[in-house]
Amino acid sequence: MNDSAVQYYPVAQTTTSPLFSFVEPGNPRDFVAGVSRKKQSAPVVYLIGDSTVKCGKGQGENNMWGWGSFFDRFFDTEQITVENCALGGRSSRTYFTEGLWNKVLPGIEKGDYVVIQFGHNDGGPMNTGRARASLPGTGQESQKVVMERDGSTEEVFTFGHYLRLFIRQAKAKGATVIVLSHTPGNRWTQDRINRCDQTYGKWSKEVAAQENVFFVDLNERTAVKFEVMGKERTAGYYVDGVHNTREGAMLNGESVVEGIRELSNCSLNKFLK
């Protein structure tokens, strides 16, 4: 009890934190950034994004995997660690408004790396249902909306605005930032996989250039690989139109690493196997 309020929790609590805060073991929202750091001088790679980076708890529930679950396999983990802080269903907007970014930020130290991938969930309604959409583009415009769920007011910004927020705050902490275009879905027009090169991929690339950070076109790299395989074989790498099997997630991770290897003057390369 706190004053006249009583709060019930799904699991026994050992925390002494303030009213209504709690720890739920295994909850992918409940993480402490930086705990994997080997020593003070050892960097951490933080991954932020949606379910295509980390699906569920990142343990292959329903045979769905995000590429971030395997990303540490590409690195010398005696020298650097990877923390997959992505969360399914999140957009660039809701990753910030739900406080997830504010969980990552305290753990970032000079010399760390932040890899950013959003776009899959940035469309749709802004104030009804899951209410996670950002405004399209990279401009400074915003729109105030009344949220259906509770009647509160929120000012919604562009996709580019939220990316810039992550980038600038990470850079201010001394981190190196790599922005990705999002993974391709299993959606085709004739024999070509649909790209995001006129929407979120384009905007991600533009913001990365404006903010002078690295960019990897994950969408294009993986799409080309699937086109070589063909539609029938590619289907085995997907559970549905967006989410990947283990093999699909591994392929996306390989695409990310290939892109990083080609980045000039990216210090993350020295930690790759």
Side-chain angles (χ1 to χ4, degrees), residues 173-186:
K173 299 273 295 213
T176 297
V177 178
I178 302 172
V179 177
L180 313 178
S181 55
H182 67 64
T183 61
N186 189 22

mmCIF file with all atom_site columns, all heavy atoms in Angstrom, residues 173-186:
data_model
loop_
_atom_site.group_PDB
_atom_site.id
_atom_site.type_symbol
_atom_site.label_atom_id
_atom_site.label_alt_id
_atom_site.label_comp_id
_atom_site.label_asym_id
_atom_site.label_entity_id
_atom_site.label_seq_id
_atom_site.pdbx_PDB_ins_code
_atom_site.Cartn_x
_atom_site.Cartn_y
_atom_site.Cartn_z
_atom_site.occupancy
_atom_site.B_iso_or_equiv
_atom_site.pdbx_formal_charge
_atom_site.auth_seq_id
_atom_site.auth_comp_id
_atom_site.auth_asym_id
_atom_site.auth_atom_id
_atom_site.pdbx_PDB_model_num
ATOM 1  N N   . LYS A 1 173 ? 26.334 11.432  -26.021 1.00 0.00 ? 173 LYS A N   1
ATOM 2  C CA  . LYS A 1 173 ? 26.946 10.560  -25.018 1.00 0.00 ? 173 LYS A CA  1
ATOM 3  C C   . LYS A 1 173 ? 28.267 9.967   -25.505 1.00 0.00 ? 173 LYS A C   1
ATOM 4  O O   . LYS A 1 173 ? 28.912 9.214   -24.786 1.00 0.00 ? 173 LYS A O   1
ATOM 5  C CB  . LYS A 1 173 ? 25.976 9.425   -24.679 1.00 0.00 ? 173 LYS A CB  1
ATOM 6  C CG  . LYS A 1 173 ? 24.648 9.891   -24.095 1.00 0.00 ? 173 LYS A CG  1
ATOM 7  C CD  . LYS A 1 173 ? 24.694 10.071  -22.594 1.00 0.00 ? 173 LYS A CD  1
ATOM 8  C CE  . LYS A 1 173 ? 24.915 8.784   -21.899 1.00 0.00 ? 173 LYS A CE  1
ATOM 9  N NZ  . LYS A 1 173 ? 24.275 8.641   -20.599 1.00 0.00 ? 173 LYS A NZ  1
ATOM 10 N N   . GLY A 1 174 ? 28.633 10.264  -26.767 1.00 0.00 ? 174 GLY A N   1
ATOM 11 C CA  . GLY A 1 174 ? 29.896 9.756   -27.296 1.00 0.00 ? 174 GLY A CA  1
ATOM 12 C C   . GLY A 1 174 ? 29.791 8.469   -28.076 1.00 0.00 ? 174 GLY A C   1
ATOM 13 O O   . GLY A 1 174 ? 30.810 7.817   -28.342 1.00 0.00 ? 174 GLY A O   1
ATOM 14 N N   . ALA A 1 175 ? 28.578 8.090   -28.470 1.00 0.00 ? 175 ALA A N   1
ATOM 15 C CA  . ALA A 1 175 ? 28.380 6.844   -29.196 1.00 0.00 ? 175 ALA A CA  1
ATOM 16 C C   . ALA A 1 175 ? 28.487 7.051   -30.705 1.00 0.00 ? 175 ALA A C   1
ATOM 17 O O   . ALA A 1 175 ? 28.234 8.141   -31.221 1.00 0.00 ? 175 ALA A O   1
ATOM 18 C CB  . ALA A 1 175 ? 27.011 6.244   -28.865 1.00 0.00 ? 175 ALA A CB  1
ATOM 19 N N   . THR A 1 176 ? 28.847 5.989   -31.393 1.00 0.00 ? 176 THR A N   1
ATOM 20 C CA  . THR A 1 176 ? 28.805 5.936   -32.852 1.00 0.00 ? 176 THR A CA  1
ATOM 21 C C   . THR A 1 176 ? 27.454 5.364   -33.262 1.00 0.00 ? 176 THR A C   1
ATOM 22 O O   . THR A 1 176 ? 27.034 4.333   -32.726 1.00 0.00 ? 176 THR A O   1
ATOM 23 C CB  . THR A 1 176 ? 29.929 5.046   -33.408 1.00 0.00 ? 176 THR A CB  1
ATOM 24 O OG1 . THR A 1 176 ? 31.193 5.615   -33.073 1.00 0.00 ? 176 THR A OG1 1
ATOM 25 C CG2 . THR A 1 176 ? 29.815 4.898   -34.919 1.00 0.00 ? 176 THR A CG2 1
ATOM 26 N N   . VAL A 1 177 ? 26.781 6.030   -34.192 1.00 0.00 ? 177 VAL A N   1
ATOM 27 C CA  . VAL A 1 177 ? 25.422 5.628   -34.582 1.00 0.00 ? 177 VAL A CA  1
ATOM 28 C C   . VAL A 1 177 ? 25.421 5.055   -35.995 1.00 0.00 ? 177 VAL A C   1
ATOM 29 O O   . VAL A 1 177 ? 26.056 5.598   -36.898 1.00 0.00 ? 177 VAL A O   1
ATOM 30 C CB  . VAL A 1 177 ? 24.455 6.821   -34.498 1.00 0.00 ? 177 VAL A CB  1
ATOM 31 C CG1 . VAL A 1 177 ? 23.058 6.411   -34.949 1.00 0.00 ? 177 VAL A CG1 1
ATOM 32 C CG2 . VAL A 1 177 ? 24.413 7.382   -33.076 1.00 0.00 ? 177 VAL A CG2 1
ATOM 33 N N   . ILE A 1 178 ? 24.689 3.956   -36.169 1.00 0.00 ? 178 ILE A N   1
ATOM 34 C CA  . ILE A 1 178 ? 24.471 3.357   -37.483 1.00 0.00 ? 178 ILE A CA  1
ATOM 35 C C   . ILE A 1 178 ? 22.964 3.234   -37.686 1.00 0.00 ? 178 ILE A C   1
ATOM 36 O O   . ILE A 1 178 ? 22.275 2.574   -36.894 1.00 0.00 ? 178 ILE A O   1
ATOM 37 C CB  . ILE A 1 178 ? 25.125 1.977   -37.602 1.00 0.00 ? 178 ILE A CB  1
ATOM 38 C CG1 . ILE A 1 178 ? 26.629 2.068   -37.332 1.00 0.00 ? 178 ILE A CG1 1
ATOM 39 C CG2 . ILE A 1 178 ? 24.866 1.372   -38.980 1.00 0.00 ? 178 ILE A CG2 1
ATOM 40 C CD1 . ILE A 1 178 ? 27.332 0.728   -37.239 1.00 0.00 ? 178 ILE A CD1 1
ATOM 41 N N   . VAL A 1 179 ? 22.449 3.864   -38.722 1.00 0.00 ? 179 VAL A N   1
ATOM 42 C CA  . VAL A 1 179 ? 21.026 3.807   -39.046 1.00 0.00 ? 179 VAL A CA  1
ATOM 43 C C   . VAL A 1 179 ? 20.819 2.795   -40.167 1.00 0.00 ? 179 VAL A C   1
ATOM 44 O O   . VAL A 1 179 ? 21.608 2.741   -41.119 1.00 0.00 ? 179 VAL A O   1
ATOM 45 C CB  . VAL A 1 179 ? 20.498 5.191   -39.485 1.00 0.00 ? 179 VAL A CB  1
ATOM 46 C CG1 . VAL A 1 179 ? 19.029 5.118   -39.889 1.00 0.00 ? 179 VAL A CG1 1
ATOM 47 C CG2 . VAL A 1 179 ? 20.690 6.219   -38.367 1.00 0.00 ? 179 VAL A CG2 1
ATOM 48 N N   . LEU A 1 180 ? 19.765 1.988   -40.048 1.00 0.00 ? 180 LEU A N   1
ATOM 49 C CA  . LEU A 1 180 ? 19.432 0.988   -41.056 1.00 0.00 ? 180 LEU A CA  1
ATOM 50 C C   . LEU A 1 180 ? 18.085 1.288   -41.689 1.00 0.00 ? 180 LEU A C   1
ATOM 51 O O   . LEU A 1 180 ? 17.188 1.819   -41.027 1.00 0.00 ? 180 LEU A O   1
ATOM 52 C CB  . LEU A 1 180 ? 19.345 -0.413  -40.431 1.00 0.00 ? 180 LEU A CB  1
ATOM 53 C CG  . LEU A 1 180 ? 20.449 -0.882  -39.491 1.00 0.00 ? 180 LEU A CG  1
ATOM 54 C CD1 . LEU A 1 180 ? 20.099 -2.270  -38.962 1.00 0.00 ? 180 LEU A CD1 1
ATOM 55 C CD2 . LEU A 1 180 ? 21.795 -0.901  -40.195 1.00 0.00 ? 180 LEU A CD2 1
ATOM 56 N N   . SER A 1 181 ? 17.916 0.923   -42.962 1.00 0.00 ? 181 SER A N   1
ATOM 57 C CA  . SER A 1 181 ? 16.571 0.812   -43.507 1.00 0.00 ? 181 SER A CA  1
ATOM 58 C C   . SER A 1 181 ? 15.993 -0.499  -42.992 1.00 0.00 ? 181 SER A C   1
ATOM 59 O O   . SER A 1 181 ? 16.734 -1.432  -42.660 1.00 0.00 ? 181 SER A O   1
ATOM 60 C CB  . SER A 1 181 ? 16.605 0.825   -45.032 1.00 0.00 ? 181 SER A CB  1
ATOM 61 O OG  . SER A 1 181 ? 17.461 -0.185  -45.532 1.00 0.00 ? 181 SER A OG  1
ATOM 62 N N   . HIS A 1 182 ? 14.662 -0.578  -42.880 1.00 0.00 ? 182 HIS A N   1
ATOM 63 C CA  . HIS A 1 182 ? 14.083 -1.756  -42.229 1.00 0.00 ? 182 HIS A CA  1
ATOM 64 C C   . HIS A 1 182 ? 14.126 -2.998  -43.129 1.00 0.00 ? 182 HIS A C   1
ATOM 65 O O   . HIS A 1 182 ? 14.305 -2.919  -44.344 1.00 0.00 ? 182 HIS A O   1
ATOM 66 C CB  . HIS A 1 182 ? 12.671 -1.471  -41.736 1.00 0.00 ? 182 HIS A CB  1
ATOM 67 C CG  . HIS A 1 182 ? 11.636 -1.241  -42.807 1.00 0.00 ? 182 HIS A CG  1
ATOM 68 N ND1 . HIS A 1 182 ? 11.263 -2.202  -43.713 1.00 0.00 ? 182 HIS A ND1 1
ATOM 69 C CD2 . HIS A 1 182 ? 10.864 -0.157  -43.086 1.00 0.00 ? 182 HIS A CD2 1
ATOM 70 C CE1 . HIS A 1 182 ? 10.311 -1.748  -44.501 1.00 0.00 ? 182 HIS A CE1 1
ATOM 71 N NE2 . HIS A 1 182 ? 10.062 -0.499  -44.161 1.00 0.00 ? 182 HIS A NE2 1
ATOM 72 N N   . THR A 1 183 ? 13.971 -4.155  -42.504 1.00 0.00 ? 183 THR A N   1
ATOM 73 C CA  . THR A 1 183 ? 14.018 -5.427  -43.220 1.00 0.00 ? 183 THR A CA  1
ATOM 74 C C   . THR A 1 183 ? 12.911 -5.487  -44.270 1.00 0.00 ? 183 THR A C   1
ATOM 75 O O   . THR A 1 183 ? 11.826 -4.942  -44.075 1.00 0.00 ? 183 THR A O   1
ATOM 76 C CB  . THR A 1 183 ? 13.833 -6.600  -42.251 1.00 0.00 ? 183 THR A CB  1
ATOM 77 O OG1 . THR A 1 183 ? 12.553 -6.479  -41.612 1.00 0.00 ? 183 THR A OG1 1
ATOM 78 C CG2 . THR A 1 183 ? 14.928 -6.635  -41.199 1.00 0.00 ? 183 THR A CG2 1
ATOM 79 N N   . PRO A 1 184 ? 13.154 -6.166  -45.394 1.00 0.00 ? 184 PRO A N   1
ATOM 80 C CA  . PRO A 1 184 ? 12.087 -6.303  -46.389 1.00 0.00 ? 184 PRO A CA  1
ATOM 81 C C   . PRO A 1 184 ? 11.042 -7.311  -45.946 1.00 0.00 ? 184 PRO A C   1
ATOM 82 O O   . PRO A 1 184 ? 11.355 -8.304  -45.273 1.00 0.00 ? 184 PRO A O   1
ATOM 83 C CB  . PRO A 1 184 ? 12.834 -6.798  -47.633 1.00 0.00 ? 184 PRO A CB  1
ATOM 84 C CG  . PRO A 1 184 ? 14.009 -7.537  -47.095 1.00 0.00 ? 184 PRO A CG  1
ATOM 85 C CD  . PRO A 1 184 ? 14.408 -6.800  -45.840 1.00 0.00 ? 184 PRO A CD  1
ATOM 86 N N   . GLY A 1 185 ? 9.793  -7.069  -46.314 1.00 0.00 ? 185 GLY A N   1
ATOM 87 C CA  . GLY A 1 185 ? 8.748  -8.053  -46.076 1.00 0.00 ? 185 GLY A CA  1
ATOM 88 C C   . GLY A 1 185 ? 8.668  -9.027  -47.238 1.00 0.00 ? 185 GLY A C   1
ATOM 89 O O   . GLY A 1 185 ? 9.260  -8.816  -48.298 1.00 0.00 ? 185 GLY A O   1
ATOM 90 N N   . ASN A 1 186 ? 7.935  -10.099 -47.048 1.00 0.00 ? 186 ASN A N   1
ATOM 91 C CA  . ASN A 1 186 ? 7.749  -11.083 -48.113 1.00 0.00 ? 186 ASN A CA  1
ATOM 92 C C   . ASN A 1 186 ? 6.583  -10.641 -48.999 1.00 0.00 ? 186 ASN A C   1
ATOM 93 O O   . ASN A 1 186 ? 5.532  -11.278 -49.071 1.00 0.00 ? 186 ASN A O   1
ATOM 94 C CB  . ASN A 1 186 ? 7.488  -12.463 -47.517 1.00 0.00 ? 186 ASN A CB  1
ATOM 95 C CG  . ASN A 1 186 ? 7.511  -13.555 -48.567 1.00 0.00 ? 186 ASN A CG  1
ATOM 96 O OD1 . ASN A 1 186 ? 8.093  -13.397 -49.638 1.00 0.00 ? 186 ASN A OD1 1
ATOM 97 N ND2 . ASN A 1 186 ? 6.859  -14.674 -48.268 1.00 0.00 ? 186 ASN A ND2 1
#
